[in-house]
Amino acid sequence: MRNKIPCSADRLGLLDPQMIQGVSEPSAFQIGHQYLTENRVRIVEADDAQISSAVIGNSGLYEQTIRLKDGHLISKCSCTLPEEPMCRHSIAVLLEYHRWAHPRQSRKPPESREAKPQPTTQTHPAGNAQASTTEASPPDVKLSEVMQFVEWLQPAMKAIEKGAPIPEAPKLHPGEVATWIQTIRNLEDRRRESEEVQVNLEADMRDREAYVGRLTQQLQASIAEAKAAQAASQDLQREVAMYKGMLAKVGELAGEVARYDTQIKAVAGDLLGKGAQLDKLAQSFKEVAEALKSAAKPHDSR
């Protein structure tokens, strides 16, 4: 599906979620935002003029190409959804690119501060009392919290190796150690999301391989049918050639029959001519016989 809409922004990074939502269908924007939160978007290559990406949809993997050219936003997706002016997959890609181009600054948790000690007076060996006010710097890491972190880290690493859920973290005050634990949990969540995406991609790959296998079988069957049809065509060509030879012989026989017919007609004409001559000769014989009879009668009367 390909769409083209006017766009006043000169860079894709300037398209914020409000602008995208303003030109999208509500249902398409909601589903696209859901794809974003479920980490289904993979940006392959991107800059402020063009984005190449892939989104794991509900029915498979879809590829997108989004460009900003001549004051128009051109989106192209391999899906066939009728959503206008952009499909849910292109919306998810634009939201992901905005998040990628404008990362939020993470807020640091407030650090715990120890109570400031009161100024103390130290006595030097010379016996002169000199008052010095010292302010202890608050430590960022407590040894007790580090020990709890180490105790929690060992079963957490074993759980990560086995693919099991991470055990419940110890309750600590906001600080560096709590940040370490949260970082590990975030990494584990991302790893699980990546594994889910990988499983989905592998399933989609298996489906595509099965589809290619079916197409290959159909192609092989079509090739076999084409070969059989070619063999049948060759047999028909041989039969046609044989019939042509037979027709040629029949034509030759017909020519000979015509010649014989002409000869027979000529012989018949000759026979008819000779028959006429024989008739004339017989008539002549009759006349001679009658003449002889006539000549013999007067002689007999004497």
Side-chain angles (χ1 to χ4, degrees), residues 3-7 23 68-69 71-75 84-86:
N3 292 311
K4 181 178 180 181
I5 58 175
C7 182
V23 297
L68 191 61
K69 183 178 180 181
H72 288 83
L73 181 64
I74 304 172
S75 62
E84 296 289 346
M86 289 184 295

Side-chain angles (χ1 to χ4, degrees), residues 181-197:
I181 295 176
Q182 187 61 37
T183 301
I184 293 175
R185 297 185 69 88
N186 293 338
L187 291 175
E188 175 62 12
D189 293 339
R190 291 184 181 179
R191 184 186 67 83
R192 290 185 178 276
E193 291 177 357
S194 300
E195 288 180 352
E196 292 178 359
V197 172

Side-chain angles (χ1 to χ4, degrees), residues 62-109:
Y62 301 100
E63 298 177 353
Q64 301 80 33
T65 301
I66 302 175
R67 292 186 300 163
L68 191 61
K69 183 178 180 181
D70 298 332
H72 288 83
L73 181 64
I74 304 172
S75 62
K76 182 180 180 182
C77 183
S78 59
C79 72
T80 57
L81 295 175
E83 297 168 341
E84 296 289 346
M86 289 184 295
C87 66
R88 60 191 67 177
H89 311 107
S90 299
I91 294 172
V93 172
L94 289 176
L95 293 174
E96 174 65 20
Y97 181 73
H98 181 268
R99 185 174 67 173
W100 177 74
H102 302 280
R104 296 180 179 178
Q105 298 294 333
S106 60
R107 298 180 179 178
K108 295 183 179 180

Side-chain angles (χ1 to χ4, degrees), residues 222-236:
S222 300
I223 291 174
E225 292 178 357
K227 289 182 178 179
Q230 185 178 5
S233 176
Q234 292 176 354
D235 294 338
L236 289 175

